[in-house]
Amino acid sequence: MGLLTFSINVTLDGCIDHQEGIADNETHAFFTRLMDESGAMLWGRVTYEMMESYWPAVARGEAEASPPMRDWAIKLNAKPKYVVSSTRTDFLWNNSHHIAGDLRTAIQNLKDATPAGMLLGSGKLAAALDRLDLIDEYKFLVHPRIAGHGPTLYESGLPGARHLELISVKPLRNGVVAMHYRRSLTKP
């Protein structure tokens, strides 16, 4: 069974708005490594549509991008992409698949079928999957910014605190800190 890893950019005040992070070559290289280590991507519809509106054009060379961004786009284009949506069923971007039905069963089946694991990158979907105890690891890029607005990490709440075990911390040259946590089975 593969692990489900939630990874997202987050500011010091918890904002996960994709426009508030530092989107440079170093952060793109970080996410490319995470994607390389994973067997598939998992998103909600809103995140999928945001990604679909830009990255396929970068992969095709139709949009200006630095080499690390183009590398990310090409690899993302080839990577299996699973999308949870109750309002859309057609996903035309290369290697995209719709996830429907019971969320717990569908995601557990996907974890079982993806030994290299899945990389989850949607805030609202992460909260729903965390409520179902399906997230195994968290790899956050914490940006040295205070956004002062939302959306924020887990703004819809969880039924209780999640106790995590710190695996690693790595500061990047741009001031961002990569933090890796794993779900802890015991409370501190």
Side-chain angles (χ1 to χ4, degrees):
M1 175 178 81
L3 297 177
L4 178 55
T5 301
F6 175 34
S7 186
I8 200 162
N9 292 298
V10 60
T11 64
L12 291 172
D13 58 343
C15 179
I16 58 171
D17 181 332
H18 75 280
Q19 297 177 0
E20 292 298 338
I22 299 169
D24 63 5
N25 290 342
E26 191 173 23
T27 57
H28 278 94
F30 175 85
F31 280 111
T32 300
R33 282 190 303 278
L34 286 183
M35 183 173 51
D36 287 345
E37 295 167 358
S38 298
M41 306 298 287
L42 177 62
W43 296 320
R45 180 193 52 82
V46 172
T47 301
Y48 173 87
E49 289 175 350
M50 177 186 65
M51 302 296 270
E52 176 188 45
S53 71
Y54 180 69
W55 293 110
V58 173
R60 291 187 304 266
E62 298 169 1
E64 192 72 27
S66 66
M69 290 175 67
R70 187 160 325 284
D71 185 42
W72 157 265
I74 290 167
K75 289 179 178 186
L76 181 59
N77 194 54
K79 186 68 73 170
K81 294 166 280 296
Y82 294 92
V83 187
V84 175
S85 177
S86 61
T87 59
R88 181 176 168 184
T89 58
D90 61 321
F91 298 94
L92 304 178
W93 185 8
N94 183 54
N95 214 358
S96 295
H97 312 277
H98 182 226
I99 299 293
D102 178 70
L103 189 58
R104 178 188 305 275
T105 302
I107 299 304
Q108 188 60 58
N109 289 342
L110 195 53
K111 285 174 70 171
D112 292 343
T114 313
M118 293 179 301
L119 190 60
L120 166 63
S122 295
K124 287 181 183 179
L125 181 57
L129 295 177
D130 221 335
R131 284 196 277 300
L132 297 172
D133 291 321
L134 289 169
I135 297 178
D136 303 297
E137 294 188 333
Y138 305 80
K139 293 184 179 181
F140 297 137
L141 279 186
V142 181
H143 293 255
R145 295 185 174 177
I146 296 173
H149 65 85
T152 58
L153 194 60
Y154 292 104
E155 67 185 29
S156 62
L158 292 174
R162 296 293 182 250
H163 301 281
L164 307 176
E165 173 189 350
L166 178 65
I167 303 302
S168 67
V169 176
K170 180 184 178 192
L172 305 182
R173 290 183 310 275
N174 60 13
V176 172
V177 179
M179 306 189 73
H180 178 188
Y181 291 93
R182 185 172 296 134
R183 286 284 297 264
S184 177
L185 300 178
T186 60
K187 291 183 180 181

